[in-house]
Amino acid sequence: MRRTILTAVLGLVATVALAQGDPVVMTVNGVPVPRSEFEYSYNKNNGDGVIDKKTVDEYAELYANYKLKVAAALDERLDTLSSFKEEYLMYRDQQVRPTMVTDAEVLSEARKAYDRTKESIGPRGLIQPAHIFFRLSTKATPQEQERVRQRADSAYNALKGGADFAELAKAVSQDPRSAMRGGLIGWMQPHQAYPEFEDVAYSLQPGDLSQPFLAPDGYHIVLMKDRKQLEPFEQLKDMIVRSFEQQGIREAIAEQKLKQMTAGHESLNKEDVMNRRADSLAAVDPEMKYLMLEYHDGLLLYEISNREVWDKAAKDEAGLRAWFETHKKDYAWSEPHYKGIAYHVKDKADVKAVKNCVKNLPFDQWAEALRSTFNPDSVIRIRVEKGLFKPGDNPTIDRLVFKSSPSSVSASSSDYPIDAVYGKKLKKYPEDYTDVRSQVISDYQEYLEQEWVASLRRRYPVKINSDVLKTVNQH
């Protein structure tokens, strides 16, 4: 019978821990939490750099709440969702696959690649040429080819006359990438360029300059900067291994191993192999065991918290409004605010026109109404700043609403010289919950969270073993 994800992740956590003398620090809905699991989470979340550190007792209550939410998620079978399975298995595989590959196997692949490269290079070795290039189309007429040849000859004559190769390459070469580096192409091996180019380049010794020659892409003048044979493997192995690691060599090796392990076995698939590997790691590596458990439970926690608290609060408009009306005093301001617009127009008649445009509309529809009425195309008739402003937020509102000092800077300009405002001054409280929506949502979410945890405490039994809790990090 195929094993489930939950079995693969959790199967050994409690039983192995207990068998190794790992006492139970708490039991949540009948599921024991061994001390080692609690210590892993406590130490991870209360290490250096954590500002709000918790005592062991404080953290035990938080961890019990965490496990209660996971229990609720399991009861709702959120672990059977395809989205959960896919994300968890992707993370699980990211942790497990690299453990299937040894450093010796990576080094072996690096050696194979080196040997292939050395065989490809052969006795001709590596060269480091620089060139000056004159492009020639394959459809060039004889006259055009002659003009390009003459340009190449002129450059060659200049070089023979003492011109600096790098400076001339920067000035006239039509290979922009190498021209920026004074014509330097970089190290090359056989079969990386046109045969016509390689035949000439490999005939040169360091310091030799070729005459202009024609290749399929145009005329070249080559200066040989250096030559060498490929360095010994020991000298290059660290660089090759680093490059392979960056390219995901361990993933490739692991995938090949999985294919070999399942080839010819109809009853065995990759998921079975990965489940067994994950179980074997969990049995010997507590860090890996609890890391996978943490991710497993964290995904469940995110999904059920989103359903019960975060998304629920954000979308419950009636609940948000009721919460705001009940707790309106909590959102009182220490200074007045202005809910409306500051606007700037060219024509005095537009001052009234703007007010008439929005005066009977809900506040959240003002922006679109003004845009479609006054700025429907590329012609900008008015400029508008809309929002909830306190003193200091907007110079026009400061001057016209809050009656700040006349020295305040106006937002008007020569293009829009007339400033005006429209809206209402709110002396102490927001007019509507939408004025402080983010704060109301946060408070409402906190309320829903508390109510939810309280209901979970009533629904599922929680037992914290205080004697074992006292031994956390003390054994």
Side-chain angles (χ1 to χ4, degrees), residues 416-449:
Y416 303 90
I418 304 172
D419 295 337
V421 296
Y422 182 71
K424 62 176 63 177
K425 189 175 181 179
L426 306 175
K427 294 183 178 180
K428 191 172 183 180
Y429 296 106
E431 181 182 36
D432 185 76
Y433 83 93
T434 57
D435 297 336
V436 284
R437 183 182 179 89
S438 61
Q439 187 179 349
V440 172
I441 288 177
S442 178
D443 293 344
Y444 190 42
Q445 285 175 339
E446 184 176 349
Y447 165 74
L448 291 178
E449 169 86 11

PDB file of all heavy atoms in Angstrom, residues 416-449:
ATOM      1  N   TYR A 416      -1.075  75.063 -13.993  1.00  0.00           N
ATOM      2  CA  TYR A 416      -2.320  74.874 -13.243  1.00  0.00           C
ATOM      3  C   TYR A 416      -2.296  75.851 -12.060  1.00  0.00           C
ATOM      4  O   TYR A 416      -2.052  75.454 -10.914  1.00  0.00           O
ATOM      5  CB  TYR A 416      -2.434  73.431 -12.740  1.00  0.00           C
ATOM      6  CG  TYR A 416      -2.359  72.401 -13.850  1.00  0.00           C
ATOM      7  CD1 TYR A 416      -1.137  71.869 -14.258  1.00  0.00           C
ATOM      8  CD2 TYR A 416      -3.509  71.964 -14.498  1.00  0.00           C
ATOM      9  CE1 TYR A 416      -1.060  70.936 -15.282  1.00  0.00           C
ATOM     10  CE2 TYR A 416      -3.446  71.027 -15.522  1.00  0.00           C
ATOM     11  CZ  TYR A 416      -2.220  70.523 -15.908  1.00  0.00           C
ATOM     12  OH  TYR A 416      -2.148  69.595 -16.926  1.00  0.00           O
ATOM     13  N   PRO A 417      -2.560  77.129 -12.320  1.00  0.00           N
ATOM     14  CA  PRO A 417      -2.316  78.166 -11.304  1.00  0.00           C
ATOM     15  C   PRO A 417      -3.368  78.273 -10.210  1.00  0.00           C
ATOM     16  O   PRO A 417      -3.134  78.942  -9.207  1.00  0.00           O
ATOM     17  CB  PRO A 417      -2.287  79.444 -12.148  1.00  0.00           C
ATOM     18  CG  PRO A 417      -3.191  79.147 -13.299  1.00  0.00           C
ATOM     19  CD  PRO A 417      -2.996  77.691 -13.599  1.00  0.00           C
ATOM     20  N   ILE A 418      -4.533  77.633 -10.384  1.00  0.00           N
ATOM     21  CA  ILE A 418      -5.621  77.815  -9.424  1.00  0.00           C
ATOM     22  C   ILE A 418      -5.723  76.582  -8.531  1.00  0.00           C
ATOM     23  O   ILE A 418      -5.938  75.463  -9.013  1.00  0.00           O
ATOM     24  CB  ILE A 418      -6.957  78.064 -10.149  1.00  0.00           C
ATOM     25  CG1 ILE A 418      -6.833  79.261 -11.103  1.00  0.00           C
ATOM     26  CG2 ILE A 418      -8.071  78.294  -9.133  1.00  0.00           C
ATOM     27  CD1 ILE A 418      -8.042  79.453 -11.997  1.00  0.00           C
ATOM     28  N   ASP A 419      -5.577  76.784  -7.202  1.00  0.00           N
ATOM     29  CA  ASP A 419      -5.682  75.694  -6.226  1.00  0.00           C
ATOM     30  C   ASP A 419      -7.066  75.682  -5.602  1.00  0.00           C
ATOM     31  O   ASP A 419      -7.662  76.739  -5.350  1.00  0.00           O
ATOM     32  CB  ASP A 419      -4.661  75.872  -5.101  1.00  0.00           C
ATOM     33  CG  ASP A 419      -3.228  75.752  -5.583  1.00  0.00           C
ATOM     34  OD1 ASP A 419      -3.026  75.125  -6.632  1.00  0.00           O
ATOM     35  OD2 ASP A 419      -2.320  76.276  -4.897  1.00  0.00           O
ATOM     36  N   ALA A 420      -7.585  74.486  -5.331  1.00  0.00           N
ATOM     37  CA  ALA A 420      -8.872  74.358  -4.651  1.00  0.00           C
ATOM     38  C   ALA A 420      -8.916  73.027  -3.910  1.00  0.00           C
ATOM     39  O   ALA A 420      -8.108  72.131  -4.162  1.00  0.00           O
ATOM     40  CB  ALA A 420     -10.020  74.449  -5.659  1.00  0.00           C
ATOM     41  N   VAL A 421      -9.858  72.918  -2.981  1.00  0.00           N
ATOM     42  CA  VAL A 421     -10.045  71.667  -2.245  1.00  0.00           C
ATOM     43  C   VAL A 421     -11.534  71.354  -2.204  1.00  0.00           C
ATOM     44  O   VAL A 421     -12.383  72.245  -2.312  1.00  0.00           O
ATOM     45  CB  VAL A 421      -9.497  71.750  -0.806  1.00  0.00           C
ATOM     46  CG1 VAL A 421      -7.995  71.961  -0.811  1.00  0.00           C
ATOM     47  CG2 VAL A 421     -10.187  72.859  -0.011  1.00  0.00           C
ATOM     48  N   TYR A 422     -11.841  70.074  -2.037  1.00  0.00           N
ATOM     49  CA  TYR A 422     -13.236  69.671  -1.848  1.00  0.00           C
ATOM     50  C   TYR A 422     -13.236  68.401  -1.008  1.00  0.00           C
ATOM     51  O   TYR A 422     -12.470  67.461  -1.258  1.00  0.00           O
ATOM     52  CB  TYR A 422     -13.933  69.398  -3.173  1.00  0.00           C
ATOM     53  CG  TYR A 422     -15.392  69.030  -2.994  1.00  0.00           C
ATOM     54  CD1 TYR A 422     -16.318  69.990  -2.602  1.00  0.00           C
ATOM     55  CD2 TYR A 422     -15.834  67.728  -3.184  1.00  0.00           C
ATOM     56  CE1 TYR A 422     -17.662  69.660  -2.419  1.00  0.00           C
ATOM     57  CE2 TYR A 422     -17.169  67.392  -3.002  1.00  0.00           C
ATOM     58  CZ  TYR A 422     -18.082  68.364  -2.618  1.00  0.00           C
ATOM     59  OH  TYR A 422     -19.398  68.035  -2.421  1.00  0.00           O
ATOM     60  N   GLY A 423     -14.079  68.377   0.007  1.00  0.00           N
ATOM     61  CA  GLY A 423     -14.162  67.237   0.901  1.00  0.00           C
ATOM     62  C   GLY A 423     -14.703  67.670   2.237  1.00  0.00           C
ATOM     63  O   GLY A 423     -15.445  68.651   2.347  1.00  0.00           O
ATOM     64  N   LYS A 424     -14.297  66.956   3.290  1.00  0.00           N
ATOM     65  CA  LYS A 424     -14.762  67.326   4.628  1.00  0.00           C
ATOM     66  C   LYS A 424     -13.642  67.162   5.639  1.00  0.00           C
ATOM     67  O   LYS A 424     -12.787  66.276   5.523  1.00  0.00           O
ATOM     68  CB  LYS A 424     -15.973  66.500   5.032  1.00  0.00           C
ATOM     69  CG  LYS A 424     -15.731  65.006   5.131  1.00  0.00           C
ATOM     70  CD  LYS A 424     -16.977  64.270   5.625  1.00  0.00           C
ATOM     71  CE  LYS A 424     -18.140  64.401   4.682  1.00  0.00           C
ATOM     72  NZ  LYS A 424     -19.315  63.617   5.139  1.00  0.00           N
ATOM     73  N   LYS A 425     -13.688  68.036   6.636  1.00  0.00           N
ATOM     74  CA  LYS A 425     -12.708  68.003   7.711  1.00  0.00           C
ATOM     75  C   LYS A 425     -13.239  67.105   8.825  1.00  0.00           C
ATOM     76  O   LYS A 425     -14.365  67.276   9.296  1.00  0.00           O
ATOM     77  CB  LYS A 425     -12.474  69.416   8.239  1.00  0.00           C
ATOM     78  CG  LYS A 425     -11.309  69.544   9.211  1.00  0.00           C
ATOM     79  CD  LYS A 425     -11.104  71.013   9.570  1.00  0.00           C
ATOM     80  CE  LYS A 425      -9.928  71.194  10.512  1.00  0.00           C
ATOM     81  NZ  LYS A 425      -9.717  72.638  10.852  1.00  0.00           N
ATOM     82  N   LEU A 426     -12.446  66.111   9.193  1.00  0.00           N
ATOM     83  CA  LEU A 426     -12.824  65.182  10.256  1.00  0.00           C
ATOM     84  C   LEU A 426     -11.990  65.519  11.481  1.00  0.00           C
ATOM     85  O   LEU A 426     -10.766  65.348  11.476  1.00  0.00           O
ATOM     86  CB  LEU A 426     -12.573  63.741   9.799  1.00  0.00           C
ATOM     87  CG  LEU A 426     -13.234  63.336   8.470  1.00  0.00           C
ATOM     88  CD1 LEU A 426     -12.803  61.930   8.070  1.00  0.00           C
ATOM     89  CD2 LEU A 426     -14.749  63.426   8.575  1.00  0.00           C
ATOM     90  N   LYS A 427     -12.662  66.009  12.510  1.00  0.00           N
ATOM     91  CA  LYS A 427     -11.918  66.564  13.637  1.00  0.00           C
ATOM     92  C   LYS A 427     -11.275  65.504  14.521  1.00  0.00           C
ATOM     93  O   LYS A 427     -10.148  65.658  14.973  1.00  0.00           O
ATOM     94  CB  LYS A 427     -12.835  67.450  14.474  1.00  0.00           C
ATOM     95  CG  LYS A 427     -13.301  68.703  13.741  1.00  0.00           C
ATOM     96  CD  LYS A 427     -14.154  69.584  14.651  1.00  0.00           C
ATOM     97  CE  LYS A 427     -14.565  70.865  13.923  1.00  0.00           C
ATOM     98  NZ  LYS A 427     -15.386  71.738  14.789  1.00  0.00           N
ATOM     99  N   LYS A 428     -11.993  64.392  14.796  1.00  0.00           N
ATOM    100  CA  LYS A 428     -11.484  63.445  15.791  1.00  0.00           C
ATOM    101  C   LYS A 428     -11.495  61.998  15.347  1.00  0.00           C
ATOM    102  O   LYS A 428     -10.600  61.226  15.669  1.00  0.00           O
ATOM    103  CB  LYS A 428     -12.294  63.577  17.075  1.00  0.00           C
ATOM    104  CG  LYS A 428     -11.689  62.837  18.256  1.00  0.00           C
ATOM    105  CD  LYS A 428     -12.424  63.151  19.555  1.00  0.00           C
ATOM    106  CE  LYS A 428     -11.758  62.445  20.737  1.00  0.00           C
ATOM    107  NZ  LYS A 428     -12.458  62.731  22.020  1.00  0.00           N
ATOM    108  N   TYR A 429     -12.525  61.617  14.564  1.00  0.00           N
ATOM    109  CA  TYR A 429     -12.679  60.208  14.213  1.00  0.00           C
ATOM    110  C   TYR A 429     -12.732  60.028  12.690  1.00  0.00           C
ATOM    111  O   TYR A 429     -13.174  60.931  11.974  1.00  0.00           O
ATOM    112  CB  TYR A 429     -13.978  59.634  14.801  1.00  0.00           C
ATOM    113  CG  TYR A 429     -14.027  59.624  16.296  1.00  0.00           C
ATOM    114  CD1 TYR A 429     -14.830  60.532  16.988  1.00  0.00           C
ATOM    115  CD2 TYR A 429     -13.285  58.704  17.037  1.00  0.00           C
ATOM    116  CE1 TYR A 429     -14.898  60.521  18.371  1.00  0.00           C
ATOM    117  CE2 TYR A 429     -13.347  58.679  18.420  1.00  0.00           C
ATOM    118  CZ  TYR A 429     -14.144  59.592  19.087  1.00  0.00           C
ATOM    119  OH  TYR A 429     -14.202  59.582  20.451  1.00  0.00           O
ATOM    120  N   PRO A 430     -12.332  58.868  12.197  1.00  0.00           N
ATOM    121  CA  PRO A 430     -12.563  58.550  10.781  1.00  0.00           C
ATOM    122  C   PRO A 430     -14.063  58.555  10.499  1.00  0.00           C
ATOM    123  O   PRO A 430     -14.876  58.251  11.377  1.00  0.00           O
ATOM    124  CB  PRO A 430     -11.965  57.146  10.614  1.00  0.00           C
ATOM    125  CG  PRO A 430     -11.070  56.963  11.783  1.00  0.00           C
ATOM    126  CD  PRO A 430     -11.647  57.768  12.900  1.00  0.00           C
ATOM    127  N   GLU A 431     -14.433  58.891   9.287  1.00  0.00           N
ATOM    128  CA  GLU A 431     -15.842  58.900   8.903  1.00  0.00           C
ATOM    129  C   GLU A 431     -16.371  57.485   8.716  1.00  0.00           C
ATOM    130  O   GLU A 431     -17.524  57.185   9.034  1.00  0.00           O
ATOM    131  CB  GLU A 431     -16.012  59.693   7.607  1.00  0.00           C
ATOM    132  CG  GLU A 431     -17.440  59.784   7.122  1.00  0.00           C
ATOM    133  CD  GLU A 431     -17.555  60.533   5.808  1.00  0.00           C
ATOM    134  OE1 GLU A 431     -16.640  60.390   4.957  1.00  0.00           O
ATOM    135  OE2 GLU A 431     -18.550  61.251   5.620  1.00  0.00           O
ATOM    136  N   ASP A 432     -15.515  56.608   8.193  1.00  0.00           N
ATOM    137  CA  ASP A 432     -15.934  55.247   7.838  1.00  0.00           C
ATOM    138  C   ASP A 432     -14.755  54.316   8.061  1.00  0.00           C
ATOM    139  O   ASP A 432     -13.604  54.750   8.093  1.00  0.00           O
ATOM    140  CB  ASP A 432     -16.385  55.213   6.370  1.00  0.00           C
ATOM    141  CG  ASP A 432     -16.939  53.858   5.971  1.00  0.00           C
ATOM    142  OD1 ASP A 432     -18.078  53.540   6.336  1.00  0.00           O
ATOM    143  OD2 ASP A 432     -16.195  53.110   5.297  1.00  0.00           O
ATOM    144  N   TYR A 433     -15.035  53.027   8.223  1.00  0.00           N
ATOM    145  CA  TYR A 433     -13.939  52.084   8.464  1.00  0.00           C
ATOM    146  C   TYR A 433     -12.946  52.042   7.307  1.00  0.00           C
ATOM    147  O   TYR A 433     -11.772  51.710   7.488  1.00  0.00           O
ATOM    148  CB  TYR A 433     -14.482  50.686   8.754  1.00  0.00           C
ATOM    149  CG  TYR A 433     -14.817  49.858   7.548  1.00  0.00           C
ATOM    150  CD1 TYR A 433     -13.873  48.989   6.998  1.00  0.00           C
ATOM    151  CD2 TYR A 433     -16.071  49.929   6.946  1.00  0.00           C
ATOM    152  CE1 TYR A 433     -14.176  48.225   5.881  1.00  0.00           C
ATOM    153  CE2 TYR A 433     -16.378  49.172   5.842  1.00  0.00           C
ATOM    154  CZ  TYR A 433     -15.432  48.320   5.310  1.00  0.00           C
ATOM    155  OH  TYR A 433     -15.722  47.566   4.206  1.00  0.00           O
ATOM    156  N   THR A 434     -13.414  52.395   6.108  1.00  0.00           N
ATOM    157  CA  THR A 434     -12.502  52.378   4.964  1.00  0.00           C
ATOM    158  C   THR A 434     -11.405  53.429   5.081  1.00  0.00           C
ATOM    159  O   THR A 434     -10.371  53.330   4.430  1.00  0.00           O
ATOM    160  CB  THR A 434     -13.274  52.595   3.655  1.00  0.00           C
ATOM    161  OG1 THR A 434     -14.001  53.829   3.733  1.00  0.00           O
ATOM    162  CG2 THR A 434     -14.249  51.455   3.403  1.00  0.00           C
ATOM    163  N   ASP A 435     -11.637  54.461   5.932  1.00  0.00           N
ATOM    164  CA  ASP A 435     -10.615  55.482   6.133  1.00  0.00           C
ATOM    165  C   ASP A 435      -9.400  54.919   6.867  1.00  0.00           C
ATOM    166  O   ASP A 435      -8.287  55.446   6.747  1.00  0.00           O
ATOM    167  CB  ASP A 435     -11.179  56.665   6.929  1.00  0.00           C
ATOM    168  CG  ASP A 435     -12.304  57.378   6.192  1.00  0.00           C
ATOM    169  OD1 ASP A 435     -12.334  57.280   4.950  1.00  0.00           O
ATOM    170  OD2 ASP A 435     -13.146  58.011   6.851  1.00  0.00           O
ATOM    171  N   VAL A 436      -9.604  53.881   7.655  1.00  0.00           N
ATOM    172  CA  VAL A 436      -8.512  53.243   8.405  1.00  0.00           C
ATOM    173  C   VAL A 436      -8.587  51.737   8.185  1.00  0.00           C
ATOM    174  O   VAL A 436      -8.423  50.940   9.117  1.00  0.00           O
ATOM    175  CB  VAL A 436      -8.591  53.592   9.904  1.00  0.00           C
ATOM    176  CG1 VAL A 436      -8.095  55.007  10.164  1.00  0.00           C
ATOM    177  CG2 VAL A 436     -10.022  53.428  10.436  1.00  0.00           C
ATOM    178  N   ARG A 437      -8.856  51.354   6.961  1.00  0.00           N
ATOM    179  CA  ARG A 437      -9.152  49.960   6.630  1.00  0.00           C
ATOM    180  C   ARG A 437      -8.062  48.992   7.092  1.00  0.00           C
ATOM    181  O   ARG A 437      -8.350  47.958   7.690  1.00  0.00           O
ATOM    182  CB  ARG A 437      -9.382  49.822   5.130  1.00  0.00           C
ATOM    183  CG  ARG A 437      -9.765  48.405   4.706  1.00  0.00           C
ATOM    184  CD  ARG A 437      -9.931  48.281   3.195  1.00  0.00           C
ATOM    185  NE  ARG A 437     -10.260  46.926   2.821  1.00  0.00           N
ATOM    186  CZ  ARG A 437     -11.500  46.444   2.744  1.00  0.00           C
ATOM    187  NH1 ARG A 437     -12.525  47.238   3.011  1.00  0.00           N
ATOM    188  NH2 ARG A 437     -11.722  45.190   2.408  1.00  0.00           N
ATOM    189  N   SER A 438      -6.812  49.300   6.782  1.00  0.00           N
ATOM    190  CA  SER A 438      -5.736  48.357   7.110  1.00  0.00           C
ATOM    191  C   SER A 438      -5.646  48.120   8.613  1.00  0.00           C
ATOM    192  O   SER A 438      -5.430  46.990   9.061  1.00  0.00           O
ATOM    193  CB  SER A 438      -4.401  48.864   6.569  1.00  0.00           C
ATOM    194  OG  SER A 438      -4.066  50.114   7.140  1.00  0.00           O
ATOM    195  N   GLN A 439      -5.836  49.183   9.411  1.00  0.00           N
ATOM    196  CA  GLN A 439      -5.782  49.034  10.864  1.00  0.00           C
ATOM    197  C   GLN A 439      -6.982  48.244  11.378  1.00  0.00           C
ATOM    198  O   GLN A 439      -6.848  47.391  12.254  1.00  0.00           O
ATOM    199  CB  GLN A 439      -5.735  50.410  11.520  1.00  0.00           C
ATOM    200  CG  GLN A 439      -5.517  50.360  13.026  1.00  0.00           C
ATOM    201  CD  GLN A 439      -5.447  51.744  13.646  1.00  0.00           C
ATOM    202  OE1 GLN A 439      -5.363  52.759  12.945  1.00  0.00           O
ATOM    203  NE2 GLN A 439      -5.502  51.796  14.978  1.00  0.00           N
ATOM    204  N   VAL A 440      -8.156  48.506  10.796  1.00  0.00           N
ATOM    205  CA  VAL A 440      -9.356  47.774  11.205  1.00  0.00           C
ATOM    206  C   VAL A 440      -9.222  46.292  10.857  1.00  0.00           C
ATOM    207  O   VAL A 440      -9.567  45.425  11.660  1.00  0.00           O
ATOM    208  CB  VAL A 440     -10.613  48.377  10.543  1.00  0.00           C
ATOM    209  CG1 VAL A 440     -11.841  47.512  10.802  1.00  0.00           C
ATOM    210  CG2 VAL A 440     -10.854  49.789  11.055  1.00  0.00           C
ATOM    211  N   ILE A 441      -8.721  46.000   9.662  1.00  0.00           N
ATOM    212  CA  ILE A 441      -8.521  44.601   9.267  1.00  0.00           C
ATOM    213  C   ILE A 441      -7.581  43.910  10.244  1.00  0.00           C
ATOM    214  O   ILE A 441      -7.833  42.786  10.691  1.00  0.00           O
ATOM    215  CB  ILE A 441      -7.980  44.518   7.830  1.00  0.00           C
ATOM    216  CG1 ILE A 441      -9.070  44.888   6.823  1.00  0.00           C
ATOM    217  CG2 ILE A 441      -7.458  43.104   7.537  1.00  0.00           C
ATOM    218  CD1 ILE A 441      -8.593  44.905   5.386  1.00  0.00           C
ATOM    219  N   SER A 442      -6.476  44.576  10.584  1.00  0.00           N
ATOM    220  CA  SER A 442      -5.507  43.982  11.510  1.00  0.00           C
ATOM    221  C   SER A 442      -6.147  43.687  12.863  1.00  0.00           C
ATOM    222  O   SER A 442      -5.966  42.598  13.425  1.00  0.00           O
ATOM    223  CB  SER A 442      -4.319  44.929  11.681  1.00  0.00           C
ATOM    224  OG  SER A 442      -3.393  44.408  12.610  1.00  0.00           O
ATOM    225  N   ASP A 443      -6.913  44.626  13.380  1.00  0.00           N
ATOM    226  CA  ASP A 443      -7.555  44.427  14.683  1.00  0.00           C
ATOM    227  C   ASP A 443      -8.623  43.342  14.607  1.00  0.00           C
ATOM    228  O   ASP A 443      -8.774  42.531  15.535  1.00  0.00           O
ATOM    229  CB  ASP A 443      -8.178  45.737  15.155  1.00  0.00           C
ATOM    230  CG  ASP A 443      -7.143  46.805  15.486  1.00  0.00           C
ATOM    231  OD1 ASP A 443      -5.967  46.441  15.644  1.00  0.00           O
ATOM    232  OD2 ASP A 443      -7.510  47.988  15.557  1.00  0.00           O
ATOM    233  N   TYR A 444      -9.365  43.335  13.516  1.00  0.00           N
ATOM    234  CA  TYR A 444     -10.416  42.325  13.344  1.00  0.00           C
ATOM    235  C   TYR A 444      -9.802  40.930  13.204  1.00  0.00           C
ATOM    236  O   TYR A 444     -10.326  39.947  13.749  1.00  0.00           O
ATOM    237  CB  TYR A 444     -11.274  42.682  12.141  1.00  0.00           C
ATOM    238  CG  TYR A 444     -12.540  41.873  11.987  1.00  0.00           C
ATOM    239  CD1 TYR A 444     -13.336  41.567  13.084  1.00  0.00           C
ATOM    240  CD2 TYR A 444     -12.947  41.412  10.726  1.00  0.00           C
ATOM    241  CE1 TYR A 444     -14.512  40.834  12.939  1.00  0.00           C
ATOM    242  CE2 TYR A 444     -14.117  40.682  10.568  1.00  0.00           C
ATOM    243  CZ  TYR A 444     -14.892  40.399  11.687  1.00  0.00           C
ATOM    244  OH  TYR A 444     -16.044  39.665  11.547  1.00  0.00           O
ATOM    245  N   GLN A 445      -8.687  40.850  12.496  1.00  0.00           N
ATOM    246  CA  GLN A 445      -7.994  39.571  12.378  1.00  0.00           C
ATOM    247  C   GLN A 445      -7.525  39.082  13.742  1.00  0.00           C
ATOM    248  O   GLN A 445      -7.628  37.884  14.049  1.00  0.00           O
ATOM    249  CB  GLN A 445      -6.803  39.714  11.429  1.00  0.00           C
ATOM    250  CG  GLN A 445      -7.177  39.790   9.957  1.00  0.00           C
ATOM    251  CD  GLN A 445      -5.979  40.040   9.074  1.00  0.00           C
ATOM    252  OE1 GLN A 445      -4.938  40.539   9.525  1.00  0.00           O
ATOM    253  NE2 GLN A 445      -6.101  39.727   7.793  1.00  0.00           N
ATOM    254  N   GLU A 446      -7.011  39.991  14.546  1.00  0.00           N
ATOM    255  CA  GLU A 446      -6.557  39.601  15.890  1.00  0.00           C
ATOM    256  C   GLU A 446      -7.719  39.073  16.724  1.00  0.00           C
ATOM    257  O   GLU A 446      -7.584  38.082  17.456  1.00  0.00           O
ATOM    258  CB  GLU A 446      -5.905  40.801  16.579  1.00  0.00           C
ATOM    259  CG  GLU A 446      -5.308  40.462  17.933  1.00  0.00           C
ATOM    260  CD  GLU A 446      -4.590  41.642  18.563  1.00  0.00           C
ATOM    261  OE1 GLU A 446      -4.377  42.654  17.866  1.00  0.00           O
ATOM    262  OE2 GLU A 446      -4.259  41.543  19.761  1.00  0.00           O
ATOM    263  N   TYR A 447      -8.873  39.733  16.588  1.00  0.00           N
ATOM    264  CA  TYR A 447     -10.070  39.269  17.305  1.00  0.00           C
ATOM    265  C   TYR A 447     -10.488  37.873  16.827  1.00  0.00           C
ATOM    266  O   TYR A 447     -10.768  36.987  17.649  1.00  0.00           O
ATOM    267  CB  TYR A 447     -11.204  40.268  17.090  1.00  0.00           C
ATOM    268  CG  TYR A 447     -12.565  39.737  17.464  1.00  0.00           C
ATOM    269  CD1 TYR A 447     -12.946  39.596  18.803  1.00  0.00           C
ATOM    270  CD2 TYR A 447     -13.470  39.366  16.466  1.00  0.00           C
ATOM    271  CE1 TYR A 447     -14.201  39.097  19.127  1.00  0.00           C
ATOM    272  CE2 TYR A 447     -14.733  38.870  16.797  1.00  0.00           C
ATOM    273  CZ  TYR A 447     -15.078  38.733  18.122  1.00  0.00           C
ATOM    274  OH  TYR A 447     -16.317  38.230  18.447  1.00  0.00           O
ATOM    275  N   LEU A 448     -10.544  37.692  15.501  1.00  0.00           N
ATOM    276  CA  LEU A 448     -10.919  36.382  14.963  1.00  0.00           C
ATOM    277  C   LEU A 448      -9.937  35.306  15.382  1.00  0.00           C
ATOM    278  O   LEU A 448     -10.325  34.162  15.685  1.00  0.00           O
ATOM    279  CB  LEU A 448     -10.991  36.445  13.434  1.00  0.00           C
ATOM    280  CG  LEU A 448     -12.129  37.266  12.823  1.00  0.00           C
ATOM    281  CD1 LEU A 448     -12.018  37.257  11.299  1.00  0.00           C
ATOM    282  CD2 LEU A 448     -13.486  36.741  13.265  1.00  0.00           C
ATOM    283  N   GLU A 449      -8.655  35.653  15.425  1.00  0.00           N
ATOM    284  CA  GLU A 449      -7.623  34.709  15.856  1.00  0.00           C
ATOM    285  C   GLU A 449      -7.876  34.259  17.295  1.00  0.00           C
ATOM    286  O   GLU A 449      -7.828  33.058  17.611  1.00  0.00           O
ATOM    287  CB  GLU A 449      -6.247  35.380  15.752  1.00  0.00           C
ATOM    288  CG  GLU A 449      -5.106  34.635  16.400  1.00  0.00           C
ATOM    289  CD  GLU A 449      -4.483  33.590  15.500  1.00  0.00           C
ATOM    290  OE1 GLU A 449      -4.797  33.582  14.295  1.00  0.00           O
ATOM    291  OE2 GLU A 449      -3.690  32.785  16.003  1.00  0.00           O
TER     292      GLU A 449
END
